[in-house]
Every structure is written in C-alpha cells, then in structure tokens.
Amino acid sequence: MAAAKKAVLGPLVGAVDQGTSSTRFLVFNSKTAELLSHHQVEIKQEFPREGWVEQDPKEILQSVYECIEKTCEKLGQLNIDISNIKAIGVSNQRETTVVWDKLTGEPLYNAVVWLDLRTQSTVENLSKRIPGNNNFVKSKTGLPLSTYFSAVKLRWLLDNVRKVQRAVEEDRALFGTIDSWLIWSLTGGANGGVHCTDVTNASRTMLFNIHSLEWDKELCEFFEIPMKILPNVRSSSEIYGLMKAGALEGVPISGCLGDQSAALVGQMCFQDGQAKNTYGTGCFLLCNTGRKCVFSEHGLLTTVAYKLGRDKPVYYALEGSVAIAGAVIRWLRDNLGIIKTSEEIGEYLKYLNEMSPVPFFLGLGYTVVGGFTNKCHIAFAALEAVCFQTREVIKAFFLVDGGMTNNKILMQLQADILYIPVVKPSMPETTALGAAMAAGAAEGVGVWSLEPEDLSAVTMERFEPQINAEESEIRYSTWKKAVMKSVGWVTTQSSESGDPSIFCSLPLGFFIVSSMVMLIGARYISGQLLFKLDNFIS
C-alpha cells in the first residue's frame, strides 16, 4: 500500500521556548497562528548554596534538540511535512548568564539563573560607587542596580571562577544569555556559530544603552566587563544563521525575543498602553509605551519591548514582576508532595469550592488556627498569593497568558482580586507564538505578516469579577497586613527603594503564608516582593 500523502498546510514556523522550568518546541501555521504540535522537557535547577540557583547549559541545549526531534516526529505522525517549516524563532528566560569556550564549545561554569542571589554583596559594593545625584546605570539602561540582571552575575564569574578568568585572558571566552548560547550552538558552535543576541535580551544585562541600542563603554568599564566577550546585538526579527544539525538542518533561525517581550508580541500588544501578564515560573507584566522610553518613579523597570527588523523602529515597555508564581506550584508538588501533577491543583480547588461555606481568605485563617487545614487550603493559598501580588503590579484591564492560565479557578480568582476583567486567548502559548511571528516576518523569510489587517483573530475567554468591590478590597487589605507581619517574623532588613526586587531570605512558604497568615516550610529561597505601578500610559 502506498504511503499516505503528506498534508500541505502552507508555510510553518517553529519556536524554541526555553524557560526556567522547561524547554519546548512548538510549530505554528503562519497563516492561521494555529498550534500544530509541540514537545516539552523539564529542566533541572541546582541549588549549590542558599540563594544560589544554577542550570546546566548543556542540558538546556540537549533539551532543545530533543524537543525539536520529538516535535518533528509528531508532525510526521500527523502527515505534516517538516520541509514546510521555513523559520525558527527563539524565546528564552532572560538574565540567566552563561560563559563558554569558543574553541571547544564547552560551558566554563553552570548557567547562573536570573533568580540567583549570590551577587548581593557585589551589588552593595558597586552601589557605593554610583553618585547619588547621577544614577548613570539606570539612566542608560532603565534598570536599577540589582542581583537580578546579567552584568553582576558575569562579574561574579570573572571574580570567582578560574576557568572563566583563564579563558578571558586567552581570548577564548564568550558571554551570553540563554538566547546567545542556543543560537551560537545551533548555528555551528565552535565550527562557525553565530555569537549574537537581540535588543530585548541585551536590554536586561545592565551593559546595554537602551537609547543608542549599543553596548555602553562606560557601563562595561564600571562593571569591569571586557567588551570582546559580548555578543553582537541584532534586531528581534532577522536571519541570524542556519540550523547546522538535526531534523531541521538548513532552516534559518530568524527570530529572537526575551520571553516577556515574546509574549507581548504574541498577545499582539502593538499599541501604546496595551499590557499583558504572563503566569510562568514568575509573573511578568509588560505595558507597551511605544517609541517613548518612559521612566518610572515607583520601581517599574524600563526595558526594550521589541525591534521587529533591522530597519524597523524600537519599541519600549514598562515592566513589573512577581518572582514566584508557577514555581510555588512546582514546590507544592516536589517539596511538600501535596500534589502529584500541576494539573491536580485544579481538582483540589474545585473540591474546596464545593465544601467551604465561608470566603476562602477568612476561612483559611480560621482553619489554620483551628487545626483543620488540609492540602486543598494550602493549594488555594498558593494561587491566592500569586493573585494578590499581581494586584500590587497593575490595577487596569489586562491580557494574560502562560501555562498557569489554563487554571480557570486562578483566572477567576485574579479577576475577583483585581476587580477588573481578565482576558486570555484560547491558545495560551503566546510566548512561543511571539517568537514564531518574529521569525516568520523576518526579511528573507516573509511567511508571516505583522500588518494589523493580516493578523489572525484570536478567540478570547473573559473572566469578570464575581464578588463586590468592597469584599475585594477587604481581602486585599487583609493580605497586605499579613505580608507585613510575615516579613517582620523573618527579617528586619530592608532593601533600597529603587530596587525592583526587595530580596530577602524568606521561607518558600512565605508566598503561601501571605494568604494563610502563617509560615509554611523551613527551606529558604529568594523572595521578590512587588513594586507599585505608575499610571500606565493611556
């Protein structure tokens, strides 16, 4: 019997979505934005010391190859010809820092993850060198001096890892965020790999001038970073190089966006004032400010949103974040054993909703004291804490995406706590979609139109508040009091007001504690409290 004829769907575009918790490869139809197939692999995190978070760059790279191969196999089973894949985009966890040997292709140390806190003393020492009336770091980069960003992580590697020091001295070292490491490796690595990054990822290093769109000599001198190890900065949509191995060998890599910028593009937030919130390992809210580089007086970050082509203008954004969101669900699964799968939390919450005769927040405080708390209460409190923290960031209608948005109870809870409508696309994988759009629209590829009239209509699901404004405000005010009491139990230290992340040594359970008015768990991790939101651009 003759083999079944392969289905012809028109041009397809693939997207690598490399996040903190997992790697995925997804393939979209460029004409309809339909997700055709995907594969996902979880990524391990290592915690060598308290507050340190690392990942293996080789494991990350191997996970990309595995996801591509498995997705191509699945497409074959669907009778979809992988030769129709015309481009690949890359979306990545931002700020995570890698240094590798350009001659051997070997990482010189584990990737230092964006959540890592080991550079606190480095930040404190550097901050003393910044004049109080001339914060040139923030004015050039839009970022406050913080452990969060790549420059101080790179500085730590240069100060503490002899292999890195030697490689720099011998002109063998290359630095990059995860996008750079992947693109260099996928385009040939030690055999001609392209060492580049895009403007969105560069803008998260504290070494990049977001006005001139270049590496800044003064900043590099301040952090004592040799400019020769930095990648070339490109736009977010252009051909960087070709895949040199695997099922998609020869396919151009032509899109690159930091994950939150990719989600902004995938949500099609191309107008001033449009905002989105991504619920992943953390929650990240971006508001498009157009071609204006707007600075916040209340702790928001100013960052590059996207630049969709070499000759296209750059767009900027304001950003707020919650460090722990999906990560707390993973903690419930892996550390407490309360759930076996992430999806199971939805069943617990459904059960609690049916059984509880009192409002959740008030009921939680009572049941803890009374000794009747069960795993359903803890699961709900975990989600409630995410929602309360998100309210600290934004108080206006907004779009949402990310894996956690599949949980309808979370989305309804967020609408109730914000007391505004929450809208999510029926296909929540907008981070990968944004990377695919950038790749497909690149000059020389041209299979994805970004013209407003050509963008496919996306089905939206809308969640309206189901409680009254007074109850929403009471729950929010009570939560804030609980947060302050919890912080007081743990530490009396405070961070400088300009830091977007008030980093403290908090129990991981703190993010649940803030909703339960109690401390859960003894293991300490990096916590990130929320910064207030200015009036968003109208």
Side-chain angles (χ1 to χ4, degrees):
M1 180 180 293
K5 187 176 180 179
K6 300 277 187 179
V8 178
L9 297 172
L12 310 180
V13 180
V16 174
D17 182 4
Q18 205 300 297
T20 314
S21 304
S22 69
T23 297
R24 296 179 298 167
F25 185 70
L26 305 90
V27 174
F28 298 89
N29 184 323
S30 66
K31 300 305 180 185
T32 65
E34 177 189 2
L35 175 60
L36 300 177
S37 187
H38 74 283
H39 189 77
Q40 179 171 347
V41 174
E42 281 204 8
I43 300 296
K44 296 177 184 176
Q45 295 185 36
E46 301 177 20
F47 307 95
R49 297 186 189 177
E50 201 63 57
W52 292 27
V53 188
E54 298 179 0
Q55 291 178 322
D56 181 354
K58 295 177 72 173
E59 179 191 354
I60 291 174
L61 177 60
Q62 184 55 43
S63 72
V64 171
Y65 280 119
E66 180 180 347
C67 287
I68 290 174
E69 297 299 317
K70 294 292 186 182
T71 302
C72 288
E73 289 176 12
K74 292 177 181 179
L75 290 172
Q77 293 168 5
L78 296 171
N79 292 326
I80 298 174
D81 192 340
I82 63 172
S83 67
N84 285 326
I85 299 177
K86 303 302 182 184
I88 296 171
V90 174
S91 170
N92 59 283
Q93 54 172 305
R94 303 169 302 169
E95 296 99 15
T96 297
T97 299
V98 187
V99 180
W100 66 94
D101 189 317
K102 67 182 179 183
L103 301 182
T104 67
E106 291 293 313
L108 297 168
Y109 192 80
N110 273 346
V112 181
V113 178
W114 57 277
L115 280 167
D116 190 278
L117 280 178
R118 73 188 67 191
T119 56
Q120 187 62 55
S121 60
T122 304
V123 169
E124 291 169 358
N125 292 332
L126 287 168
S127 65
K128 297 173 183 177
R129 295 167 46 195
I130 298 178
N133 60 350
N134 179 27
N135 190 340
F136 64 93
V137 174
K138 187 172 183 178
S139 65
K140 287 172 179 281
T141 68
L143 311 173
L145 190 58
S146 167
T147 60
Y148 200 77
F149 307 108
S150 305
V152 289
K153 302 180 193 300
L154 178 53
R155 182 67 259 154
W156 185 93
L157 290 170
L158 291 167
D159 288 338
N160 294 278
V161 181
R162 182 55 190 152
K163 287 175 67 176
V164 172
Q165 297 167 353
R166 189 179 302 114
V168 171
E169 293 166 1
E170 298 174 1
D171 197 24
R172 293 183 287 109
L174 295 178
F175 152 78
T177 43
I178 293 296
D179 59 303
S180 297
W181 163 244
L182 292 180
I183 293 173
W184 184 84
S185 299
L186 296 173
T187 57
N191 298 311
V194 178
H195 187 215
C196 69
T197 188
D198 89 301
V199 290
T200 68
N201 282 293
S203 73
R204 309 296 292 191
T205 62
M206 283 198 300
L207 300 171
F208 185 71
N209 190 313
I210 60 175
H211 309 286
S212 66
L213 302 183
E214 296 176 337
W215 297 121
D216 190 282
K217 184 178 179 181
E218 183 183 14
L219 290 170
C220 289
E221 289 176 350
F222 175 72
F223 290 103
E224 299 181 86
I225 303 296
M227 298 184 74
K228 64 183 180 180
I229 71 174
L230 303 179
N232 294 318
V233 182
R234 312 275 284 272
S235 76
S236 305
S237 178
E238 61 179 274
I239 295 176
Y240 312 114
L242 306 180
M243 288 283 293
K244 290 297 176 66
L248 299 182
E249 183 177 357
V251 176
I253 299 175
S254 53
C256 181
L257 290 154
D259 51 10
Q260 304 315 316
S261 290
L264 193 73
V265 172
Q267 288 274 28
M268 302 175 199
C269 294
F270 294 127
Q271 303 299 317
D272 291 13
Q274 289 185 313
K276 67 87 201 168
N277 194 32
T278 297
Y279 296 76
T281 299
C283 280
F284 297 90
L285 187 141
L286 261 69
C287 177
N288 189 332
T289 63
R291 301 185 193 183
K292 297 172 290 187
C293 194
V294 178
F295 285 83
S296 166
E297 295 182 0
H298 297 282
L300 292 179
L301 307 180
T302 303
T303 194
V304 174
Y306 52 81
K307 186 178 187 295
L308 297 175
R310 282 177 289 185
D311 300 322
K312 298 294 178 66
V314 63
Y315 282 74
Y316 296 94
L318 284 171
E319 176 175 335
S321 65
V322 179
I324 303 297
V328 78
I329 307 305
R330 192 170 180 174
W331 176 71
L332 292 177
R333 184 193 68 187
D334 296 343
N335 293 54
L336 292 189
I338 287 175
I339 56 175
K340 294 180 180 178
T341 66
S342 299
E343 293 75 18
E344 192 176 344
I345 195 170
E347 294 301 315
Y348 286 178
L349 301 187
K350 181 180 179 182
Y351 167 79
L352 188 58
N353 192 37
E354 293 171 349
M355 298 298 294
S356 177
V358 294
F360 282 120
F361 183 82
L362 300 178
L364 287 173
Y366 174 80
T367 54
V368 169
V369 176
F372 298 106
T373 302
N374 60 38
K375 56 189 177 183
C376 299
H377 296 99
I378 297 174
F380 181 83
L383 294 189
E384 193 176 46
V386 172
C387 294
F388 280 127
Q389 292 179 87
T390 299
R391 177 167 169 166
E392 287 287 278
V393 180
I394 185 168
K395 299 181 176 70
F397 164 88
F398 72 124
L399 298 163
V400 298
D401 61 81
M404 289 183 75
T405 62
N406 291 323
N407 190 318
K408 293 181 183 293
I409 296 176
L410 170 65
M411 293 295 94
Q412 185 58 59
L413 184 62
Q414 187 70 85
D416 291 343
I417 289 174
L418 288 175
Y419 203 67
I420 61 171
V422 170
V423 179
K424 68 179 282 287
S426 56
M427 196 282 293
E429 306 301 342
T430 51
T431 301
L433 178 61
M437 290 167 64
E443 183 179 353
V445 178
V447 299
W448 206 311
S449 172
L450 297 183
E451 296 300 322
E453 62 271 17
D454 296 327
L455 293 173
S456 301
V458 178
T459 304
M460 296 289 186
E461 186 173 4
R462 187 180 179 97
F463 296 84
E464 297 282 351
Q466 293 184 354
I467 62 176
N468 60 45
E470 182 180 5
E471 182 181 347
S472 177
E473 189 61 37
I474 289 172
R475 290 170 67 176
Y476 176 54
S477 299
T478 308
W479 175 79
K480 290 211 299 186
K481 292 177 182 178
V483 169
M484 297 312 297
K485 290 179 181 292
S486 298
V487 172
W489 294 340
V490 176
T491 181
T492 57
Q493 296 178 346
S494 61
S495 297
E496 295 180 10
S497 58
D499 196 328
S501 49
I502 306 174
F503 288 117
C504 307
S505 293
L506 297 175
L508 178 50
F510 171 79
F511 296 96
I512 302 176
V513 170
S514 58
S515 290
M516 299 183 71
V517 202
M518 66 173 291
L519 294 177
I520 297 174
R523 189 170 183 281
Y524 284 80
I525 67 155
S526 59
Q528 185 183 43
L529 301 183
L530 274 275
F531 32 90
K532 304 282 185 180
L533 177 66
D534 288 282
N535 293 325
F536 262 18
I537 308 305
S538 59

